[in-house]
């Protein structure tokens, strides 16, 4: 077996917010792929607006740098568990991995997830303990915990032999000794060249597995992947082997390689490199591009099954079509099925109702990012509350279960224990650092996590971080108890007034401000009691000829509670929907009229 000594393919994997993209910034800048006078800013790989707003990597991306005449292809992967499908589909292009671990937090749930996949693929690991300049860094303990993780997951003795580097991604320095001050990232480059094996080269005609897709308005669809065998050049004929072994013949238009943030057109690329090719009208992730002389398909990319589902349908509120550009079921269906081309963890299927579609994903954030993306593209629709996906195994109803890790202060242990016990969580571990910081680990069914994130932030006053990891399935336990009070529902259509909202705030907290246009059945607040209440927020004060001297003094209202898209999805109950438009996010009842809701409630009581 031959090797290409002039290339290294490496994936950067870690838990969310452990500094992957910041470290990639340092690698790019110190490899001099940018001009000296070029202004590139920070987090240059996160070019998506949502990624910059949320501060996390959502999509896996490719880049490359040159170091000592060796091309290092770098794959930046997401760190959030909901986007684990992105890791699963691109990790096949790499021969080694940089496992980043935060010097304070240590190994987290997603660290275990990505390391397990790296070991399954046979990748050679390099451990980088990042953020060593943090105030409460515990480098020695984090290294010990990382070694324990390797002992737990390793499948061979060779995987336990890994180098450890210490980095400050923000400062752009890496060192082999945590007590020494780093100068630059050259120790990391040297470790990559020394430890990551060069790609193996097979003899034979061209063969490539499509691991990613992109689109250009002029070049059309762009297929990205690693060449496993042979060579590809412009105008070469190729056969695309699809999921059902269908074969389509194409001619390659352009062959592009990565360097920094750009793709460079080239006259040909040999096996071992990661390339992007154009000229393919229909191609999907997991397809094999091969020479017509040897029609062999590579194993398709396998990703984990989704755990959460929700319905996405045409907006049926009285305000339908006012704010969105794409509102019909045909447009909505086309967009959802188009997402399947690049989002391998997603599942979409039609329902009995032609205006409603069932969408399944890895978690609430996975679905929320899709909804926010469609909203910004001009789509208008409504979504239901997410539900855990159950399945029958040997006649037993099974539900997904996850590991929940909570980092917070000791003062919140009581309230969190009470909240999570109602959600069927089981405490499996609790550790304190002696400074009133505590880490709680739970085993909790996925249904118990739905709607918990916003309640957790409220209970801990924002002084807490939660992370989850899918563990598997367990027998269904029971339905959850109600975890939310009732809501205030608008009883009439019109504009909300200060007087009407003042009366509503006597019942609970409100979500809207004066002047907001509402319709009957729209949720305008949260009741202080378990029951739903219909309120007239459009009510105006009666005008008379005789008034007290204080009558015209403005009524002082409490500021409205503003719910984000993710919080809205968490908040709604089974009989409620979230109306999503490019301009607004509204909460509403499925049945808009009070009469219809009372009729359904009475039927439920009779049965």
């Amino acid at each position: 077996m031959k090797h290409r000594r002039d290339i290294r393919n490496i994936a950067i994997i870690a838990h969310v917010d452990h500094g992957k993209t910041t470290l990639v910034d340092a690698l790019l800048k110190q490899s001099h792929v940018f001009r000296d006078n070029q202004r590139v800013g920070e987090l240059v790989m996160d070019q998506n607006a949502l990624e910059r707003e949320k501060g996390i990597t959502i999509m896996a991306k490719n880049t490359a740098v040159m170091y000592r005449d060796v091309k290092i292809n770098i794959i930046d992967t997401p760190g959030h568990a909901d986007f684990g499908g992105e890791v699963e589909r691109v990790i096949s292009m790499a021969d080694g991995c940089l496992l980043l671990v935060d010097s304070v937090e240590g190994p987290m749930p997603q660290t275990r997830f990505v390391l397990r996949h790296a070991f399954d693929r046979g990748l050679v690991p390099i451990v980088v303990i990042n953020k060593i300049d943090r105030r409460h860094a515990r480098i020695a303990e984090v290294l010990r915990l990382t070694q324990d993780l390797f002992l737990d997951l390793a499948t061979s003795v060779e995987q336990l032999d890994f180098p450890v580097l210490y980095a400050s991604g923000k400062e752009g320095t890496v060192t082999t000794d945590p007590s020494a001050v780093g100068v630059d990232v050259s120790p990391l480059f040297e470790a990559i060249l020394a430890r990551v094996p060069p790609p193996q080269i097979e003899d034979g005609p061209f063969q490539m597995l499509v691991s990613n897709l992109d689109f250009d308005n002029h070049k059309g669809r762009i297929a990205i992947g690693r060449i496993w065998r042979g060579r590809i050049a412009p105008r070469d004929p190729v056969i695309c082997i699809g999921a059902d072994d269908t074969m389509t013949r194409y001619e390659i238009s352009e062959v592009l390689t990565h360097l920094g943030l750009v793709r460079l057109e080239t006259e040909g690329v040999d096996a071992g490199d990661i390339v992007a090719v154009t000229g393919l009208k229909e191609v999907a992730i997991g397809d094999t591009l091969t020479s017509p002389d040897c029609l062999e398909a590579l194993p398709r990319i396998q990703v984990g099954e989704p755990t959460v589902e929700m319905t996405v349908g045409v907006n049926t509120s009285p305000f339908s079509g006012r704010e969105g550009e794409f509102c019909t079921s045909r447009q909505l269906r086309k967009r959802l099925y188009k997402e399947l081309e690049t989002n391998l963890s997603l599942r979409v299927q039609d329902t009995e109702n032609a205006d409603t579609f069932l969408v399944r994903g890895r978690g609430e954030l996975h679905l929320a990012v899709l909804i926010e993306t469609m909203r910004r593209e001009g789509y208008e629709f409504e979504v239901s509350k997410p539900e855990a996906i159950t399945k029958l195994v040997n006649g037993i109803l099974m539900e997904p279960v996850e590991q929940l890790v909570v980092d917070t202060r000791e003062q919140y242990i009581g309230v969190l224990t009470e909240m999570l016990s109602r959600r069927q969580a089981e405490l499996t571990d609790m550790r304190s650092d002696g400074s009133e910081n505590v880490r709680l680990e739970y085993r909790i069914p996925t249904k118990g996590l739905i709607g918990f994130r916003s309640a957790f932030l409220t209970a801990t006053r924002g002084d807490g971080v939660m992370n989850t990891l899918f563990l598997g399935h367990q027998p269904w336990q029971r339905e959850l108890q109600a975890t939310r009070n009732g809501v205030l529902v608008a009883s009439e259509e019109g504009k909300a007034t200060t007087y009407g909202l003042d009366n509503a705030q006597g019942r609970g907290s409100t979500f809207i401000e004066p002047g907001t246009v509402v319709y009957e059945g729209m949720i305008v607040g949260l009741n202080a009691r378990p029951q739903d209440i219909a309120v007239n927020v459009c009510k105006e004060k009666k005008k008379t000829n005789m008034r007290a001297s204080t009558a015209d003094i403005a009524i002082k209202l409490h500021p409205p509670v503003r719910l984000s898209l993710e919080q809205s999805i968490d908040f709604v109950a089974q009989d409620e929907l979230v109306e999503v438009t490019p301009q607004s996010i509204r909460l509403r009842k499925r049945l808009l009229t009070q009469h219809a809701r009372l009729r359904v409630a009475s039927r439920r009581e009779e049965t």
Side-chain angles (χ1 to χ4, degrees):
M1 188 72 69
K2 300 178 182 177
H3 293 82
R4 261 193 91 170
R5 302 288 176 183
D6 62 335
I7 288 181
R8 299 292 188 276
N9 298 317
I10 192 161
I12 298 187
I13 57 178
H15 187 80
V16 64
D17 201 31
H18 279 200
K20 299 179 305 300
T21 307
T22 304
L23 185 62
V24 173
D25 279 3
L27 295 175
L28 288 170
K29 292 173 182 177
Q30 295 187 32
S31 63
H32 305 293
V33 297
F34 304 120
R35 300 187 312 271
D36 292 338
N37 63 345
Q38 186 174 352
R39 300 180 63 181
V40 293
E42 298 179 349
L43 303 177
V44 293
M45 293 293 289
D46 287 346
Q47 298 178 348
N48 183 291
L50 267 179
E51 291 179 320
R52 288 192 169 273
E53 288 178 18
K54 295 181 177 294
I56 61 174
T57 300
I58 296 174
M59 302 293 293
K61 306 173 190 68
N62 294 83
T63 186
V65 299
M66 296 296 298
Y67 182 77
R68 290 207 292 139
D69 298 327
V70 175
K71 181 181 181 183
I72 303 175
N73 286 309
I74 301 172
I75 306 164
D76 185 19
T77 64
H80 198 285
D82 284 15
F83 307 108
E86 292 287 309
V87 180
E88 293 170 332
R89 70 177 173 84
V90 300
I91 206 170
S92 61
M93 293 190 288
D95 299 300
C97 64
L98 298 183
L99 178 68
L100 264 68
V101 184
D102 190 288
S103 64
V104 175
E105 295 181 355
M108 298 292 284
Q110 182 72 353
T111 312
R112 174 179 291 271
F113 171 82
V114 294
L115 183 60
R116 183 171 65 241
H117 277 282
F119 282 162
D120 290 342
R121 296 292 307 181
L123 303 189
V124 176
I126 298 174
V127 173
V128 179
I129 298 180
N130 196 24
K131 303 184 181 181
I132 60 173
D133 52 343
R134 288 187 65 177
R135 181 180 177 184
H136 299 292
R138 47 192 187 114
I139 298 173
E141 184 179 355
V142 167
L143 177 58
R144 180 183 59 79
L145 293 172
T146 305
Q147 291 170 337
D148 292 343
L149 181 62
F150 271 73
L151 284 170
D152 190 24
L153 297 180
T155 57
S156 66
V157 177
E158 291 77 14
Q159 291 173 338
L160 297 177
D161 180 22
F162 56 90
V164 181
L165 301 174
Y166 306 89
S168 170
K170 188 176 181 180
E171 299 295 329
T173 61
V174 177
T175 178
T176 56
D177 182 0
S179 61
V181 178
V183 178
D184 53 24
V185 296
S186 57
L188 181 55
F189 282 132
E190 294 293 343
I192 292 173
L193 297 188
R195 301 289 300 189
V196 177
Q200 294 182 348
I201 306 301
E202 297 183 26
D203 293 326
F206 168 74
Q207 191 181 48
M208 165 183 158
L209 181 67
V210 178
S211 300
N212 204 352
L213 291 178
D214 201 354
F215 185 82
D216 185 271
N217 290 330
H218 302 288
K219 299 176 182 179
R221 191 164 297 186
I222 302 174
I224 303 169
R226 173 175 168 175
I227 302 177
W228 291 97
R229 191 175 65 195
R231 176 182 173 83
I232 189 67
R235 295 176 295 281
D236 280 356
V238 297
I239 301 296
C240 179
I241 305 177
D244 51 357
D245 293 330
T246 57
M247 299 187 184
T248 309
R249 187 182 182 92
Y250 295 109
E251 181 180 288
I252 298 299
S253 298
E254 292 180 332
V255 178
L256 309 166
T257 59
H258 298 87
L259 185 63
L261 302 181
V262 299
R263 296 191 182 111
L264 304 176
E265 189 173 349
T266 181
E267 292 301 317
V269 177
D270 294 312
D273 206 348
I274 296 174
V275 299
V277 297
T278 65
L280 309 171
K281 185 177 180 181
E282 295 292 336
V283 63
I285 293 175
D287 289 355
T288 299
L289 301 182
T290 183
S291 168
D293 300 331
C294 187
L295 302 179
E296 295 179 5
L298 291 164
R300 293 192 70 85
I301 299 171
Q302 301 294 329
V303 299
E305 292 297 315
T307 58
V308 174
E309 65 182 13
M310 64 165 43
T311 59
V312 178
V314 174
N315 187 13
T316 57
S317 83
F319 294 169
S320 173
R322 294 188 183 182
E323 300 175 355
E325 182 181 355
F326 308 108
C327 309
T328 67
S329 60
R330 179 185 59 83
Q331 293 168 329
L332 189 60
R333 184 181 190 277
K334 182 179 179 181
R335 176 62 181 85
L336 288 172
Y337 277 90
K338 180 177 175 59
E339 184 69 19
L340 298 179
E341 296 177 3
T342 55
N343 199 336
L344 294 192
S345 300
L346 197 72
R347 303 288 187 273
V348 178
Q349 67 183 64
D350 297 339
T351 64
E352 296 179 356
N353 185 348
D355 293 337
T356 304
F357 308 93
L358 185 64
V359 180
R360 295 177 169 177
R362 283 285 185 91
E364 291 173 275
L365 182 60
H366 185 202
L367 298 176
V369 166
L370 170 63
I371 293 168
E372 180 64 27
T373 302
M374 293 174 59
R375 172 180 176 243
R376 297 186 182 200
E377 293 173 357
Y379 287 85
E380 179 179 321
F381 50 94
E382 61 188 23
V383 300
S384 69
K385 180 182 182 64
E387 297 180 5
I389 300 174
T390 58
K391 62 180 182 179
L392 282 174
V393 178
N394 298 326
I396 301 175
L397 184 64
M398 306 291 284
E399 63 176 340
V401 61
E402 303 187 39
Q403 178 189 20
L404 170 65
V405 179
V406 172
D407 289 291
T408 185
R409 306 286 289 177
E410 290 181 351
Q411 66 191 79
Y412 302 120
I413 292 178
V415 64
L416 289 176
T417 301
E418 182 181 354
M419 289 171 56
L420 288 167
S421 64
R422 294 200 302 266
R423 295 173 178 268
Q424 302 177 4
E426 300 176 5
L427 182 65
T428 58
D429 192 16
M430 180 172 69
R431 294 190 298 271
S432 176
D433 65 353
S435 301
E436 298 187 355
N437 297 311
V438 65
R439 173 171 291 183
L440 308 172
E441 295 187 11
Y442 293 88
R443 181 183 174 91
I444 182 172
T446 299
K447 66 173 183 266
L449 283 173
I450 296 175
F452 175 69
R453 189 176 298 273
S454 57
F456 166 76
L457 293 175
T458 302
T460 60
R461 294 175 172 82
D463 192 7
V465 178
M466 58 169 284
N467 294 283
T468 60
L469 177 66
F470 175 69
L471 296 177
H473 288 80
Q474 68 178 15
W476 174 270
Q477 297 185 34
R478 63 185 185 277
E479 291 289 347
L480 294 177
Q481 301 174 359
T483 57
R484 193 203 73 185
N485 286 341
V487 291
L488 307 179
V489 186
S491 60
E492 292 186 12
E493 182 175 343
K495 276 189 178 182
T497 64
T498 302
Y499 183 71
L501 287 173
D502 183 49
N503 290 332
Q505 288 189 350
R507 303 293 188 112
S509 55
T510 54
F511 298 158
I512 61 174
E513 58 187 14
T516 303
V517 182
V518 301
Y519 54 80
E520 183 183 3
M522 179 173 161
I523 297 173
V524 296
L526 178 65
N527 189 14
R529 298 180 180 274
Q531 300 82 16
D532 295 340
I533 298 179
V535 295
N536 183 7
V537 293
C538 304
K539 185 177 181 180
E540 296 182 353
K541 188 173 183 179
K542 299 292 184 181
K543 293 182 173 60
T544 62
N545 289 330
M546 300 293 293
R547 293 192 181 185
S549 60
T550 58
D552 293 329
I553 297 178
I555 299 173
K556 293 184 178 181
L557 296 174
H558 298 294
V561 177
R562 299 292 188 184
L563 298 181
S564 66
L565 175 61
E566 294 170 38
Q567 291 172 328
S568 299
I569 295 172
D570 281 349
F571 178 84
V572 291
Q574 299 295 339
D575 63 337
E576 298 163 0
L577 297 169
V578 181
E579 178 186 351
V580 182
T581 76
Q583 299 178 23
S584 309
I585 296 173
R586 304 184 184 95
L587 308 181
R588 52 160 288 190
K589 287 290 185 179
R590 284 183 184 269
L591 302 175
L592 295 178
T593 64
Q594 175 78 350
H595 175 71
R597 294 194 296 274
L598 291 174
R599 184 170 57 189
V600 170
S602 63
R603 288 177 182 173
R604 191 178 296 117
E605 291 177 358
E606 291 174 0
T607 57

